Amino acid sequence: MRFAIALFLASSSPWVLDSTQVERSMCELVCESLLSEGLPPVSENPACIPVQNNGPTEAGSFDWMARHRAVLETARSRRDSKLILVGDSITHGWGGVPEPGPQWKGTAPRLYDDCFGKWKPINMGFGWDQTGHVLWRLQNGALDGLSPRVAVVLIGTNNTMHHTSEQIAGGIVAVVDDLQRRLPQTHVLLLSILPRDKTVTENRRKNDRANQLVSALDGRDGVTYLDMTAAFTHADGRLRTELFPDDLHLNEEGYEVWAKTMMPTLNRLMSEE
């Protein structure tokens, strides 16, 4: 519980601290304890700063704010959704609603509907997003009025070029914590950052270390961690390149592997009372 309080308070504005009537000294005390868990203090972690993502809009990839508004509208029309999927382009590109793009239904929309359709899912994946961008979205209405049974989280690979393993892990933990604070009845299914690059590069090692750190959340009340790395790599660590057209994003076969790997755990969580 103290860990959760620290993650929330360290990134909050002074008025939030006042409204919760928790002294900053308490926050600092708890943040200090994070050092013993291998993570930097949240207040010093750039991966924990909530911020809008202007990158995809400026690059002409897609209108990031328009997608955020589409998620808000979908949430208003799907108050009874039992499943949300939170993440970056790998989640964004699967399919579902809101649709990935004006002229694009996603890489595997039929598979998405077959796997998740009965739970009225909401796809909260945004291309280009890092953990801080997810935090901004969660703090700006994405979850309002929702109470899903499960939130699937896959985030972190876009942090790789900008943050250390420990910072990435801290950002992921901050996302999980924010979800649990806003959706206390929702179970978080946290997925490992997917492997990237054809061989075991420094980027891969960095993400593997971040995965190792966040795996400690498994067993925390309301959290299940699922490591999917082995499903996407060969025994020697090489990437299964037939699943990744650009060594990062998934093709349709890649989404089939994701579904096959995740669905037993997701079905179990959905069936639990």
Side-chain angles (χ1 to χ4, degrees), residues 185-202:
Q185 304 304 315
T186 299
H187 196 103
V188 176
L189 175 53
L190 176 61
L191 306 179
S192 57
I193 303 172
L194 295 188
R196 56 184 293 166
D197 305 335
K198 287 184 173 64
T199 59
V200 182
T201 60
E202 185 57 36

Side-chain angles (χ1 to χ4, degrees), residues 64 67-68 70-76 78-79 81 83-93 95-98 112 120-127 129 133-134 137-138 141-148 150-155 179 183:
W64 190 89
R67 181 161 176 81
H68 179 63
V71 166
L72 300 185
E73 180 60 33
T74 302
R76 282 191 289 270
R78 289 199 169 193
R79 296 297 196 211
S81 172
L83 175 66
I84 60 174
L85 296 97
V86 178
D88 50 38
S89 57
I90 301 173
T91 298
H92 184 166
V97 293
Y112 182 97
K120 297 185 179 179
I122 302 175
N123 187 328
M124 297 186 183
F126 282 53
D129 267 14
H133 305 126
V134 174
R137 294 193 277 116
L138 299 184
L143 305 176
D144 290 359
L146 297 176
S147 186
V150 175
V152 173
V153 177
L154 175 58
I155 192 66
L179 280 165
L183 302 174

Side-chain angles (χ1 to χ4, degrees), residues 152-155 172 188-196 204-205 207-219 223-234 244 257-266 268-269:
V152 173
V153 177
L154 175 58
I155 192 66
I172 294 170
V188 176
L189 175 53
L190 176 61
L191 306 179
S192 57
I193 303 172
L194 295 188
R196 56 184 293 166
R204 181 95 72 83
R205 293 188 187 93
N207 288 346
D208 286 347
R209 170 60 177 160
N211 283 336
Q212 180 185 22
L213 289 167
V214 300
S215 69
L217 289 177
D218 191 42
V223 180
T224 296
Y225 174 79
L226 179 62
D227 190 342
M228 302 199 300
T229 303
F232 292 95
T233 55
H234 296 284
F244 297 84
V257 171
W258 180 356
K260 181 179 179 180
T261 306
M262 181 180 72
M263 287 308 294
T265 301
L266 181 58
R268 175 177 60 79
L269 295 175

